[in-house]
Amino acid sequence: MNIVITGGRVIDPAHNEDQVRPIAIQDGSLLGSPIPRGFSADVTLDAAGLIVSPGLIDLRARLREPGLEHKATVASETRAALAGGITTLCCPPDTTPPIDTPAIAEWLRARAEGALGARVLPIGALTRGLKGAHLADMHALHEAGCAGVGNAGMGVSDTGVMRHALAYAAGLDLLVFLTPEDPWLGERGVMHEGLVSTRLGLPGVPTSAETIAISRDLILVEETGVRAHFCGLSTAAGAALIADAKRRGLPVTADCAIHQLHLSEDDIGFFDSEYRVRPPLRTRADRDALREAFAEGTIDALCSDHQPHEADAKKAPFSDAEPGIAGLETLLPLALRLTEAGVPLARALAGLTSGPGGILRLLAGGLVPGQPADLCLFDPAAPWVPGPDTLKTQGRNSPFCGAPMRGRVVATIKDGRIAYRAAWARETPV
Amino acid sequence: MIGDIQVDAQGRHRHFLTTEGLPAHTIIEILDTAESFISVGEREIKKVPLLRGKNIVNLFFEASTRTRTTFEIAGKRLSADVININTGVSATQKGESVIDTIRNLEAMHTDLFVIRHPQSGAADLIARSVPAHVHVVNAGDGRHAHPTQGLLDMFTIRRYKGAFAPLTVAIVGDVLHSRVARSQIHALTTLGAREVRVIGPRSLWPPVPEGLGVVPYTDMAKGLAGVDVIIVLRLQFERMNGALIPSASEYFSLYGLTPERLALASPEAIVMHPGPMNRGLEIASEVADGPQSVILPQVTNGIAVRMAILARLAGALPGETKPA
């Protein structure tokens, strides 16, 4: 099928493009600009007033399959991802069983293909069973379609094992996803150790839980030369360590969960478990520093860190409530909200497209003629309120439920097919 | 973010969850009411009919003798029907959530829950899940708050010392893990005590002491100098297994309240302890049983203060609905 999108403002941060132009898709692939003579469209999408960007890439989204199907499924969450403008997402290996064999990785990819949702790139386990003792079959996992390897939130406390794992991955030129949390300092805490934890009497996770882990791993990255991606920075001090490593030329990148750029420990109020996340929400100074680190490029990518839960998972005393926010569909509007804090629109979108695309070495992070067409069409001004009636994810756990948002996806095109079209926008253009 | 729910929009005191944010006049009102209830316990017939026909459930997810017993006596002196349920953590082990447990008891027409739970925030969670006519009293949640203990300590201090403004108060011990200390600190700072000190090993300080408005000390001699009130906290034995303090003997040698150390405080200083005491660990017997100790009166006062709080929440007192 041939599609032409007319009148949209095309923003492609990978190629510094920001202009109104038509985009043509022939048999699933993007055509170059100008559109060649003789192209005829079967479908015309009127995108006047809309922004057309590459399909969003989310480096961290839990789909809960296999193992936790009562929370969500590959089908429910990959379709929710499309509704959020996300065409590619990475799924961490901490499923049950973990993604530590090619069979699980292949099963997950097949499941995602059948669901007709966003493309799923599993992250393979760095160690067998995520136990931090034996290396996983990293090459086989890579062959099975894994975007890289990592130990999710389980940490590898044995530095000897970590050093071997990173060296081994470096030898295969694999991308390693590192989740920086010192297990000895991080495991027992449920929120940032500071003023609010003092007040509420909740066990805290000190800033040093993050900086110690980053410091150790950076030394090992320097020693092994492995391509390392640091997941979910939460502290100003952690971002400063990454900035320094980049200045020294180490092959490192970093991301930040989008909620870390908007929320702080103060938002927990009186034990609101919707704000229980890992790593925890830090101080307002940390939040502001992370925004700055993103704006200047120390943080390469923004991700949803999507963690859908059943309602009961949050109906417990704060420490017993499960951590995480269901964030697929608020990723884009929350990234757009950064423009209110002075982040240029193109930079905000880069965090969702060329940033993560570059980390994964995917061409899909930008608009490249001849490549499969993955596009996100959104109305940057459309107001909406996340809630049970508007969200597609099976998880309704979000502190942003009920909070007015600006910016909403109108249509998502994946592999040249209109994979999602918003019901709310059918009356309006497109 | 969710806010404080202790007081409703009309200024009525619905739940009693923490001393943080309670206005000074509210605390004083409760202490005054408690004062009037002291005499009830001294009469031949130790009962007033203020809560006749009301059902109170003492729901304890964690062991307690003193608090549970004084709440039971307080409820009974107010003529309420009191039921004690000690579930330990067994209910959660059976897979029944805290909220389900509450729902079931609510269905039995409970008017007021007295809750103790090992997790910070549990009483708050329960208060948010009960219908509008049901009241919740926090009898200790994790490390967060033990507000009735906090107020009975204020009551005791006021009985012996009169005004709060001139007082320097030292809280000695494991403030990091102490809900009692948090509730005392919020009450003392609200009531305008001149200075609140916490004394203990650095590893047992709260992470940001200044955030609580207290001055931290590691040196017992410096911290006790000239204080008017010494509150000794119980040292939980399980802290010994972690890396927080080296041993009981080293703790006692540095922080045990001995007669020699007590002499550093003001000569009129009173010594308090929320109980149960570890004699020879945090406090010497000579001090615990000495003339400056008010530890047993604390227990007696606990009944009157808890009566005042139960009656206040149940709306049984005239003129207690002064808007905040």
Side-chain angles (χ1 to χ4, degrees), chain A residues 4-24 30-31 33 35 47-55 345-346 349 366-368 374-378:
Chain A
V4 67
I5 301 163
T6 60
R9 176 181 168 194
V10 177
I11 302 183
D12 175 14
H15 302 98
N16 288 319
E17 183 183 8
D18 183 351
Q19 62 176 327
V20 176
R21 69 156 166 109
I23 289 184
L30 284 170
L31 291 180
S33 182
I35 297 171
L50 305 184
I51 290 175
V52 182
S53 78
L345 176 60
L349 286 175
L367 303 177
V368 179
D374 285 358
L375 298 168
C376 170
L377 281 64
F378 63 94

Side-chain angles (χ1 to χ4, degrees), chain A residues 42 49 52 86 94 141 184 194 200 248 277 336 368 421:
Chain A
D42 306 306
V52 182
I86 297 159
D94 52 354
L141 287 164
W184 309 105
L200 295 179
R248 290 189 289 129
V277 291
L336 295 175
V368 179
R421 235 173 137 162

Side-chain angles (χ1 to χ4, degrees), chain B residues 7 11 41 76 90 97 100 103 110 132 145 167 208 215 221 256 301 317 324:
Chain B
V7 177
K76 286 181 172 166
S90 64
S97 78
D100 282 335
R103 291 266 151 77
T110 300
L167 299 181
V208 187
V215 185
N301 296 342
L317 298 172

Side-chain angles (χ1 to χ4, degrees), chain B residues 118-164:
Chain B
Q119 294 289 10
S120 300
D124 207 90
L125 175 82
I126 290 165
R128 280 173 213 286
S129 72
V130 295
H133 62 276
V134 176
H135 307 281
V136 174
V137 175
N138 183 5
D141 63 325
R143 309 177 184 180
H144 171 236
H146 192 352
T148 60
Q149 177 74 42
L151 286 206
L152 80 85
D153 292 334
M154 296 309 109
F155 184 88
T156 307
I157 292 172
R158 193 173 76 159
R159 280 214 136 188
Y160 288 92
K161 291 288 168 191
F164 287 88

Side-chain angles (χ1 to χ4, degrees), chain A residues 63-330:
Chain A
L63 307 175
R64 301 306 194 191
E65 254 190 297
L68 294 171
E69 290 81 359
H70 63 289
K71 292 184 187 291
T73 63
V74 169
S76 68
E77 302 316 290
T78 55
R79 284 182 212 144
L82 289 176
I86 297 159
T87 49
T88 301
L89 61 84
C90 293
C91 167
D94 52 354
T95 48
T96 314
I99 309 173
D100 64 352
T101 60
I104 305 273
E106 279 158 10
W107 178 87
L108 196 58
R109 294 190 67 206
R111 190 120 179 121
E113 265 165 47
L116 300 177
R119 186 179 299 109
V120 174
L121 301 178
I123 297 169
L126 185 67
T127 60
R128 231 182 279 166
L130 302 175
K131 290 194 163 69
H134 302 275
L135 306 196
D137 291 352
M138 297 183 213
H139 174 69
L141 287 164
H142 180 62
E143 292 287 297
C146 288
V149 287
N151 229 51
M154 311 298 283
V156 179
S157 58
D158 184 328
T159 307
V161 172
M162 190 59 152
R163 188 163 174 263
H164 290 312
L166 297 186
Y168 187 84
L172 298 174
D173 192 28
L174 293 180
L175 175 65
V176 176
F177 291 80
L178 299 171
T179 306
E181 183 189 82
D182 180 84
W184 309 105
L185 293 175
E187 229 162 50
R188 289 181 205 94
V190 299
M191 70 172 294
H192 174 61
E193 181 181 284
L195 192 64
V196 183
S197 76
T198 296
R199 224 190 81 224
L200 295 179
L202 288 169
V205 181
T207 295
S208 52
E210 180 163 304
T211 50
I212 287 172
I214 293 177
S215 302
R216 180 196 76 164
D217 290 351
L218 281 175
I219 291 167
L220 296 177
V221 167
E222 190 159 16
E223 219 171 48
T224 59
V226 72
R227 280 197 292 138
H229 176 71
F230 286 86
C231 301
L233 300 191
S234 68
T235 64
L241 289 169
I242 299 294
D244 179 62
K246 286 185 165 187
R247 270 193 296 275
R248 290 189 289 129
L250 296 188
V252 297
T253 51
D255 74 51
C256 194
I258 191 68
H259 54 253
Q260 291 285 1
L261 300 188
H262 292 289
L263 305 175
S264 73
E265 57 174 352
D266 302 316
D267 292 303
I268 291 167
F270 287 82
F271 304 102
D272 192 339
S273 60
E274 294 291 4
Y275 293 85
R276 170 138 197 237
V277 291
R278 190 172 161 201
L281 299 172
R282 304 284 185 179
T283 66
R284 276 177 283 178
D286 286 306
R287 179 200 62 190
D288 294 347
L290 290 173
R291 282 183 183 174
E292 184 58 35
F294 169 67
E296 68 177 30
T298 297
I299 291 169
D300 305 87
L302 304 175
C303 61
S304 71
D305 200 9
H306 179 68
Q307 294 175 50
H309 286 296
E310 76 283 16
D312 283 349
K314 290 285 187 183
K315 277 189 198 147
F318 195 88
S319 297
D320 291 342
E322 294 186 51
I325 290 173
L328 288 172
E329 292 154 272
T330 45

Side-chain angles (χ1 to χ4, degrees), chain A residues 270, chain B residues 4 6 16-22 124 138 144-145 147 183 186:
Chain A
F270 287 82
Chain B
D4 190 357
Q6 299 199 91
F16 196 69
L17 306 173
T18 170
T19 53
E20 185 185 5
L22 278 188
D124 207 90
N138 183 5
H144 171 236
S183 287
H186 289 308

